[in-house]
Amino acid sequence: MPKNQNAATINRPRLKQKFSRLLGQWGVFFRGFLEHPRMVGSIIPSSRFTVEKMLAPVDWEQCQLFVEYGPGVGTFCQPVLDRLPRDGTLIVIDTNPLFIDYLRRTFADSRFVPVLGSAEEVEAIVKANGFEHADYVLSGLPFSTLPDGLGPKIAANTHSILRPGGGFLVYQFSARARDFMARHFRHIDSGFEWLNILPCKLFWGWKRAGD
């Protein structure tokens, strides 16, 4: 058998496995969007450019607990786990059992804790897992389409559970999330990522001592 043909024979199953995993991930994400469109911000996961820019300000050496709202199929999960200290914890919270089941089957890392629940319950969830505070909270929840009253509750409870010096990291297609954040976070940095479908707004709300 020619050398090149042999290489193609070896690589084809690997490519097929990767393609199957990709289709499976997108299929789960799209189904989750169809079932709960008001709770999922997009039918397409965030780009790697959004992930990199969103996580760039995090001080990973000072991060013991990272929380994510609305993890979907885990676009941010592996990048967070790759940066998280060995003794750190990543708690992800989602109201969709489809996503939580998928994440449980996908991530075997002992630092990974998927929770079926609402982001407004973050204080109870964090304390139930043995922590007093979170260092960072990441959210891709669509604040502009959440049920009435839910956005303000999430923003308030997030500020409450963060330690001084911690941050609330939010990526959105709408700037409305900043309005909810501004009621509790005096210091908010803003950014934008064009290389995403759709281009999205980025916000980092910082909890300072005395806030």
Short mmCIF file of all heavy atoms in Angstrom, two decimals, residues 107-161:
data_model
loop_
_atom_site.label_atom_id
_atom_site.label_comp_id
_atom_site.label_asym_id
_atom_site.label_seq_id
_atom_site.Cartn_x
_atom_site.Cartn_y
_atom_site.Cartn_z
N PHE A 107 -17.48 15.81 30.46
CA PHE A 107 -16.35 16.25 31.27
C PHE A 107 -16.16 15.35 32.49
O PHE A 107 -17.02 15.30 33.37
CB PHE A 107 -16.55 17.69 31.72
CG PHE A 107 -16.55 18.67 30.58
CD1 PHE A 107 -17.75 19.07 30.00
CD2 PHE A 107 -15.37 19.18 30.07
CE1 PHE A 107 -17.77 19.97 28.93
CE2 PHE A 107 -15.37 20.07 29.00
CZ PHE A 107 -16.57 20.47 28.43
N ALA A 108 -15.02 14.65 32.52
CA ALA A 108 -14.74 13.71 33.61
C ALA A 108 -13.85 14.33 34.68
O ALA A 108 -13.50 13.68 35.65
CB ALA A 108 -14.07 12.46 33.04
N ASP A 109 -13.48 15.58 34.53
CA ASP A 109 -12.59 16.27 35.47
C ASP A 109 -13.24 16.35 36.86
O ASP A 109 -14.40 16.76 36.99
CB ASP A 109 -12.30 17.68 34.94
CG ASP A 109 -11.11 18.33 35.61
OD1 ASP A 109 -11.08 18.36 36.85
OD2 ASP A 109 -10.22 18.82 34.89
N SER A 110 -12.50 15.97 37.89
CA SER A 110 -13.04 15.96 39.25
C SER A 110 -13.34 17.37 39.76
O SER A 110 -14.08 17.54 40.74
CB SER A 110 -12.06 15.27 40.20
OG SER A 110 -10.82 15.97 40.22
N ARG A 111 -12.77 18.39 39.11
CA ARG A 111 -13.01 19.78 39.52
C ARG A 111 -14.30 20.33 38.95
O ARG A 111 -14.71 21.44 39.28
CB ARG A 111 -11.85 20.66 39.06
CG ARG A 111 -10.49 20.27 39.63
CD ARG A 111 -9.38 21.04 38.93
NE ARG A 111 -9.34 20.69 37.49
CZ ARG A 111 -8.64 21.37 36.58
NH1 ARG A 111 -7.94 22.42 36.95
NH2 ARG A 111 -8.66 21.00 35.32
N PHE A 112 -14.95 19.56 38.10
CA PHE A 112 -16.12 20.01 37.34
C PHE A 112 -17.41 19.58 38.05
O PHE A 112 -17.63 18.39 38.30
CB PHE A 112 -16.07 19.43 35.93
CG PHE A 112 -17.19 19.88 35.03
CD1 PHE A 112 -17.25 21.18 34.57
CD2 PHE A 112 -18.19 18.99 34.65
CE1 PHE A 112 -18.28 21.59 33.73
CE2 PHE A 112 -19.22 19.38 33.82
CZ PHE A 112 -19.27 20.69 33.36
N VAL A 113 -18.28 20.56 38.36
CA VAL A 113 -19.53 20.28 39.09
C VAL A 113 -20.70 20.87 38.31
O VAL A 113 -20.97 22.07 38.38
CB VAL A 113 -19.49 20.88 40.51
CG1 VAL A 113 -20.78 20.55 41.26
CG2 VAL A 113 -18.27 20.40 41.27
N PRO A 114 -21.43 20.04 37.56
CA PRO A 114 -22.62 20.53 36.85
C PRO A 114 -23.85 20.50 37.76
O PRO A 114 -24.08 19.52 38.47
CB PRO A 114 -22.76 19.55 35.68
CG PRO A 114 -22.13 18.28 36.18
CD PRO A 114 -21.10 18.66 37.20
N VAL A 115 -24.64 21.56 37.75
CA VAL A 115 -25.80 21.67 38.63
C VAL A 115 -27.03 22.03 37.80
O VAL A 115 -27.02 23.01 37.04
CB VAL A 115 -25.58 22.74 39.71
CG1 VAL A 115 -26.85 22.92 40.55
CG2 VAL A 115 -24.40 22.38 40.59
N LEU A 116 -28.09 21.25 37.96
CA LEU A 116 -29.37 21.56 37.33
C LEU A 116 -30.10 22.54 38.24
O LEU A 116 -30.53 22.18 39.35
CB LEU A 116 -30.20 20.29 37.12
CG LEU A 116 -31.58 20.47 36.48
CD1 LEU A 116 -31.45 21.03 35.07
CD2 LEU A 116 -32.34 19.16 36.47
N GLY A 117 -30.22 23.77 37.82
CA GLY A 117 -30.85 24.78 38.66
C GLY A 117 -30.82 26.13 37.98
O GLY A 117 -30.41 26.26 36.83
N SER A 118 -31.25 27.15 38.71
CA SER A 118 -31.32 28.50 38.17
C SER A 118 -30.19 29.36 38.71
O SER A 118 -29.77 29.22 39.86
CB SER A 118 -32.66 29.15 38.55
OG SER A 118 -32.67 30.52 38.20
N ALA A 119 -29.71 30.29 37.88
CA ALA A 119 -28.64 31.19 38.29
C ALA A 119 -29.06 32.06 39.48
O ALA A 119 -28.20 32.48 40.26
CB ALA A 119 -28.24 32.08 37.12
N GLU A 120 -30.34 32.32 39.64
CA GLU A 120 -30.76 33.14 40.77
C GLU A 120 -30.54 32.41 42.10
O GLU A 120 -30.54 33.03 43.17
CB GLU A 120 -32.24 33.54 40.64
CG GLU A 120 -33.22 32.40 40.74
CD GLU A 120 -34.66 32.87 40.67
OE1 GLU A 120 -35.01 33.85 41.37
OE2 GLU A 120 -35.44 32.27 39.90
N GLU A 121 -30.30 31.09 42.05
CA GLU A 121 -30.04 30.29 43.25
C GLU A 121 -28.54 30.15 43.52
O GLU A 121 -28.12 29.29 44.29
CB GLU A 121 -30.65 28.90 43.07
CG GLU A 121 -32.15 28.91 42.81
CD GLU A 121 -32.66 27.57 42.28
OE1 GLU A 121 -31.83 26.74 41.87
OE2 GLU A 121 -33.89 27.36 42.32
N VAL A 122 -27.73 30.99 42.91
CA VAL A 122 -26.28 30.83 42.98
C VAL A 122 -25.74 30.81 44.40
O VAL A 122 -24.82 30.04 44.73
CB VAL A 122 -25.56 31.90 42.14
CG1 VAL A 122 -25.83 33.31 42.66
CG2 VAL A 122 -24.06 31.62 42.06
N GLU A 123 -26.30 31.63 45.28
CA GLU A 123 -25.80 31.67 46.66
C GLU A 123 -25.98 30.31 47.34
O GLU A 123 -25.05 29.80 47.97
CB GLU A 123 -26.51 32.77 47.44
CG GLU A 123 -26.18 34.17 46.97
CD GLU A 123 -26.97 35.23 47.70
OE1 GLU A 123 -28.19 35.33 47.48
OE2 GLU A 123 -26.37 35.96 48.51
N ALA A 124 -27.16 29.74 47.22
CA ALA A 124 -27.43 28.44 47.83
C ALA A 124 -26.58 27.34 47.20
O ALA A 124 -26.07 26.44 47.89
CB ALA A 124 -28.91 28.10 47.70
N ILE A 125 -26.40 27.40 45.88
CA ILE A 125 -25.62 26.39 45.17
C ILE A 125 -24.15 26.44 45.57
O ILE A 125 -23.52 25.41 45.84
CB ILE A 125 -25.78 26.56 43.64
CG1 ILE A 125 -27.21 26.21 43.22
CG2 ILE A 125 -24.77 25.70 42.89
CD1 ILE A 125 -27.53 26.56 41.79
N VAL A 126 -23.60 27.63 45.65
CA VAL A 126 -22.19 27.79 46.05
C VAL A 126 -21.97 27.27 47.47
O VAL A 126 -21.01 26.51 47.73
CB VAL A 126 -21.78 29.27 45.94
CG1 VAL A 126 -20.47 29.54 46.69
CG2 VAL A 126 -21.62 29.66 44.47
N LYS A 127 -22.85 27.63 48.38
CA LYS A 127 -22.69 27.20 49.77
C LYS A 127 -22.94 25.71 49.94
O LYS A 127 -22.30 25.05 50.77
CB LYS A 127 -23.60 28.03 50.66
CG LYS A 127 -23.13 29.49 50.74
CD LYS A 127 -24.05 30.38 51.57
CE LYS A 127 -23.50 31.81 51.57
NZ LYS A 127 -24.35 32.74 52.33
N ALA A 128 -23.84 25.14 49.14
CA ALA A 128 -24.10 23.70 49.20
C ALA A 128 -22.88 22.89 48.75
O ALA A 128 -22.74 21.71 49.11
CB ALA A 128 -25.30 23.35 48.32
N ASN A 129 -21.99 23.53 47.99
CA ASN A 129 -20.78 22.87 47.52
C ASN A 129 -19.56 23.21 48.37
O ASN A 129 -18.42 22.94 47.97
CB ASN A 129 -20.53 23.22 46.06
CG ASN A 129 -21.40 22.41 45.11
OD1 ASN A 129 -21.09 21.28 44.77
ND2 ASN A 129 -22.52 23.00 44.70
N GLY A 130 -19.81 23.80 49.54
CA GLY A 130 -18.73 24.00 50.51
C GLY A 130 -17.96 25.30 50.39
O GLY A 130 -16.89 25.44 50.99
N PHE A 131 -18.49 26.28 49.66
CA PHE A 131 -17.80 27.56 49.49
C PHE A 131 -18.63 28.70 50.09
O PHE A 131 -19.86 28.64 50.10
CB PHE A 131 -17.57 27.85 48.01
CG PHE A 131 -16.61 26.90 47.34
CD1 PHE A 131 -17.09 25.75 46.73
CD2 PHE A 131 -15.25 27.14 47.32
CE1 PHE A 131 -16.23 24.86 46.11
CE2 PHE A 131 -14.37 26.26 46.70
CZ PHE A 131 -14.87 25.11 46.09
N GLU A 132 -17.94 29.72 50.57
CA GLU A 132 -18.61 30.92 51.07
C GLU A 132 -18.78 31.95 49.97
O GLU A 132 -19.75 32.71 49.96
CB GLU A 132 -17.81 31.53 52.23
CG GLU A 132 -17.89 30.73 53.52
CD GLU A 132 -19.33 30.60 54.04
OE1 GLU A 132 -20.05 31.61 54.02
OE2 GLU A 132 -19.70 29.48 54.43
N HIS A 133 -17.83 31.97 49.03
CA HIS A 133 -17.86 32.97 47.97
C HIS A 133 -17.34 32.36 46.68
O HIS A 133 -16.64 31.34 46.68
CB HIS A 133 -17.00 34.19 48.33
CG HIS A 133 -17.44 34.91 49.56
ND1 HIS A 133 -18.57 35.70 49.59
CD2 HIS A 133 -16.92 34.93 50.81
CE1 HIS A 133 -18.72 36.21 50.81
NE2 HIS A 133 -17.73 35.75 51.57
N ALA A 134 -17.68 33.00 45.56
CA ALA A 134 -17.11 32.65 44.26
C ALA A 134 -16.07 33.72 43.92
O ALA A 134 -16.18 34.87 44.35
CB ALA A 134 -18.18 32.62 43.19
N ASP A 135 -15.06 33.33 43.15
CA ASP A 135 -14.05 34.29 42.71
C ASP A 135 -14.47 34.99 41.43
O ASP A 135 -14.28 36.20 41.26
CB ASP A 135 -12.72 33.58 42.49
CG ASP A 135 -12.18 32.98 43.78
OD1 ASP A 135 -11.83 33.77 44.69
OD2 ASP A 135 -12.14 31.74 43.90
N TYR A 136 -15.06 34.20 40.52
CA TYR A 136 -15.53 34.75 39.24
C TYR A 136 -16.82 34.05 38.84
O TYR A 136 -17.00 32.86 39.11
CB TYR A 136 -14.49 34.55 38.12
CG TYR A 136 -13.20 35.28 38.37
CD1 TYR A 136 -12.14 34.66 39.02
CD2 TYR A 136 -13.04 36.61 37.95
CE1 TYR A 136 -10.96 35.34 39.26
CE2 TYR A 136 -11.85 37.28 38.19
CZ TYR A 136 -10.81 36.64 38.85
OH TYR A 136 -9.65 37.32 39.09
N VAL A 137 -17.69 34.81 38.21
CA VAL A 137 -18.93 34.25 37.66
C VAL A 137 -19.02 34.68 36.20
O VAL A 137 -18.89 35.87 35.88
CB VAL A 137 -20.18 34.73 38.42
CG1 VAL A 137 -21.45 34.20 37.75
CG2 VAL A 137 -20.12 34.28 39.88
N LEU A 138 -19.23 33.70 35.33
CA LEU A 138 -19.35 33.95 33.89
C LEU A 138 -20.78 33.70 33.45
O LEU A 138 -21.40 32.73 33.88
CB LEU A 138 -18.41 33.00 33.13
CG LEU A 138 -18.56 32.91 31.62
CD1 LEU A 138 -18.08 34.21 30.96
CD2 LEU A 138 -17.78 31.72 31.08
N SER A 139 -21.31 34.57 32.60
CA SER A 139 -22.69 34.40 32.14
C SER A 139 -22.84 34.74 30.67
O SER A 139 -22.40 35.79 30.21
CB SER A 139 -23.63 35.30 32.95
OG SER A 139 -24.96 35.21 32.44
N GLY A 140 -23.50 33.83 29.96
CA GLY A 140 -23.92 34.09 28.59
C GLY A 140 -25.43 34.12 28.48
O GLY A 140 -25.99 34.06 27.38
N LEU A 141 -26.11 34.18 29.63
CA LEU A 141 -27.57 34.21 29.63
C LEU A 141 -28.08 35.45 28.90
O LEU A 141 -27.54 36.54 29.07
CB LEU A 141 -28.11 34.21 31.06
CG LEU A 141 -27.80 32.97 31.92
CD1 LEU A 141 -28.33 33.17 33.34
CD2 LEU A 141 -28.41 31.72 31.30
N PRO A 142 -29.13 35.31 28.12
CA PRO A 142 -29.68 36.45 27.37
C PRO A 142 -30.55 37.34 28.28
O PRO A 142 -31.76 37.16 28.36
CB PRO A 142 -30.52 35.78 26.29
CG PRO A 142 -30.96 34.49 26.91
CD PRO A 142 -29.84 34.05 27.81
N PHE A 143 -29.94 38.30 28.95
CA PHE A 143 -30.67 39.14 29.91
C PHE A 143 -31.87 39.83 29.29
O PHE A 143 -32.87 40.07 29.95
CB PHE A 143 -29.72 40.16 30.52
CG PHE A 143 -28.90 39.64 31.66
CD1 PHE A 143 -27.74 38.93 31.43
CD2 PHE A 143 -29.29 39.86 32.97
CE1 PHE A 143 -26.98 38.44 32.48
CE2 PHE A 143 -28.55 39.37 34.03
CZ PHE A 143 -27.38 38.66 33.78
N SER A 144 -31.78 40.17 28.01
CA SER A 144 -32.86 40.91 27.37
C SER A 144 -34.12 40.07 27.16
O SER A 144 -35.20 40.62 26.93
CB SER A 144 -32.40 41.47 26.02
OG SER A 144 -32.00 40.44 25.16
N THR A 145 -34.01 38.74 27.22
CA THR A 145 -35.19 37.89 26.99
C THR A 145 -35.55 37.04 28.20
O THR A 145 -36.47 36.22 28.12
CB THR A 145 -34.96 36.96 25.78
OG1 THR A 145 -33.86 36.08 26.05
CG2 THR A 145 -34.68 37.76 24.52
N LEU A 146 -34.86 37.22 29.31
CA LEU A 146 -35.19 36.45 30.51
C LEU A 146 -36.57 36.86 31.03
O LEU A 146 -37.01 37.98 30.80
CB LEU A 146 -34.15 36.68 31.60
CG LEU A 146 -32.74 36.13 31.36
CD1 LEU A 146 -31.82 36.52 32.51
CD2 LEU A 146 -32.77 34.62 31.19
N PRO A 147 -37.26 35.96 31.73
CA PRO A 147 -38.56 36.32 32.32
C PRO A 147 -38.44 37.56 33.20
O PRO A 147 -37.39 37.82 33.80
CB PRO A 147 -38.91 35.07 33.16
CG PRO A 147 -38.20 33.95 32.46
CD PRO A 147 -36.91 34.54 31.96
N ASP A 148 -39.50 38.33 33.28
CA ASP A 148 -39.51 39.58 34.04
C ASP A 148 -39.03 39.35 35.48
O ASP A 148 -39.49 38.43 36.16
CB ASP A 148 -40.92 40.18 34.07
CG ASP A 148 -41.34 40.72 32.72
OD1 ASP A 148 -40.46 40.91 31.87
OD2 ASP A 148 -42.56 40.94 32.52
N GLY A 149 -38.12 40.21 35.90
CA GLY A 149 -37.64 40.17 37.27
C GLY A 149 -36.45 39.24 37.49
O GLY A 149 -35.77 39.36 38.52
N LEU A 150 -36.20 38.33 36.56
CA LEU A 150 -35.12 37.36 36.77
C LEU A 150 -33.74 37.99 36.60
O LEU A 150 -32.83 37.71 37.39
CB LEU A 150 -35.29 36.18 35.81
CG LEU A 150 -34.31 35.02 35.99
CD1 LEU A 150 -34.37 34.48 37.41
CD2 LEU A 150 -34.61 33.90 34.97
N GLY A 151 -33.59 38.84 35.60
CA GLY A 151 -32.29 39.49 35.37
C GLY A 151 -31.80 40.27 36.58
O GLY A 151 -30.65 40.09 37.01
N PRO A 152 -32.62 41.14 37.15
CA PRO A 152 -32.19 41.89 38.34
C PRO A 152 -31.83 40.99 39.51
O PRO A 152 -30.87 41.27 40.24
CB PRO A 152 -33.42 42.76 38.67
CG PRO A 152 -34.10 42.94 37.36
CD PRO A 152 -33.92 41.63 36.64
N LYS A 153 -32.58 39.90 39.70
CA LYS A 153 -32.27 38.97 40.80
C LYS A 153 -30.91 38.30 40.59
O LYS A 153 -30.12 38.15 41.52
CB LYS A 153 -33.36 37.89 40.90
CG LYS A 153 -34.67 38.38 41.48
CD LYS A 153 -35.67 37.24 41.57
CE LYS A 153 -37.00 37.73 42.11
NZ LYS A 153 -38.02 36.63 42.16
N ILE A 154 -30.65 37.89 39.36
CA ILE A 154 -29.37 37.23 39.06
C ILE A 154 -28.21 38.19 39.30
O ILE A 154 -27.20 37.82 39.90
CB ILE A 154 -29.36 36.71 37.61
CG1 ILE A 154 -30.34 35.54 37.47
CG2 ILE A 154 -27.96 36.28 37.20
CD1 ILE A 154 -30.50 35.04 36.05
N ALA A 155 -28.35 39.43 38.84
CA ALA A 155 -27.29 40.42 39.03
C ALA A 155 -27.04 40.69 40.51
O ALA A 155 -25.89 40.74 40.96
CB ALA A 155 -27.65 41.71 38.30
N ALA A 156 -28.11 40.84 41.29
CA ALA A 156 -27.99 41.12 42.72
C ALA A 156 -27.35 39.94 43.45
O ALA A 156 -26.44 40.13 44.28
CB ALA A 156 -29.36 41.43 43.31
N ASN A 157 -27.81 38.73 43.18
CA ASN A 157 -27.29 37.56 43.87
C ASN A 157 -25.86 37.24 43.46
O ASN A 157 -25.08 36.72 44.27
CB ASN A 157 -28.20 36.35 43.60
CG ASN A 157 -29.57 36.51 44.22
OD1 ASN A 157 -29.78 37.39 45.05
ND2 ASN A 157 -30.52 35.69 43.81
N THR A 158 -25.52 37.57 42.21
CA THR A 158 -24.14 37.38 41.77
C THR A 158 -23.20 38.31 42.52
O THR A 158 -22.14 37.90 43.00
CB THR A 158 -24.01 37.63 40.25
OG1 THR A 158 -24.86 36.71 39.56
CG2 THR A 158 -22.58 37.43 39.79
N HIS A 159 -23.59 39.57 42.63
CA HIS A 159 -22.76 40.53 43.37
C HIS A 159 -22.59 40.08 44.82
O HIS A 159 -21.50 40.17 45.39
CB HIS A 159 -23.40 41.92 43.33
CG HIS A 159 -22.57 42.97 43.98
ND1 HIS A 159 -22.67 43.28 45.33
CD2 HIS A 159 -21.61 43.80 43.48
CE1 HIS A 159 -21.83 44.24 45.62
NE2 HIS A 159 -21.16 44.57 44.53
N SER A 160 -23.65 39.55 45.40
CA SER A 160 -23.61 39.13 46.80
C SER A 160 -22.65 37.96 47.02
O SER A 160 -21.93 37.93 48.03
CB SER A 160 -25.01 38.74 47.26
OG SER A 160 -25.01 38.26 48.58
N ILE A 161 -22.62 37.02 46.09
CA ILE A 161 -21.81 35.80 46.29
C ILE A 161 -20.35 36.00 45.93
O ILE A 161 -19.49 35.22 46.35
CB ILE A 161 -22.39 34.61 45.49
CG1 ILE A 161 -21.92 33.27 46.08
CG2 ILE A 161 -22.04 34.72 44.01
CD1 ILE A 161 -22.34 33.02 47.50
#
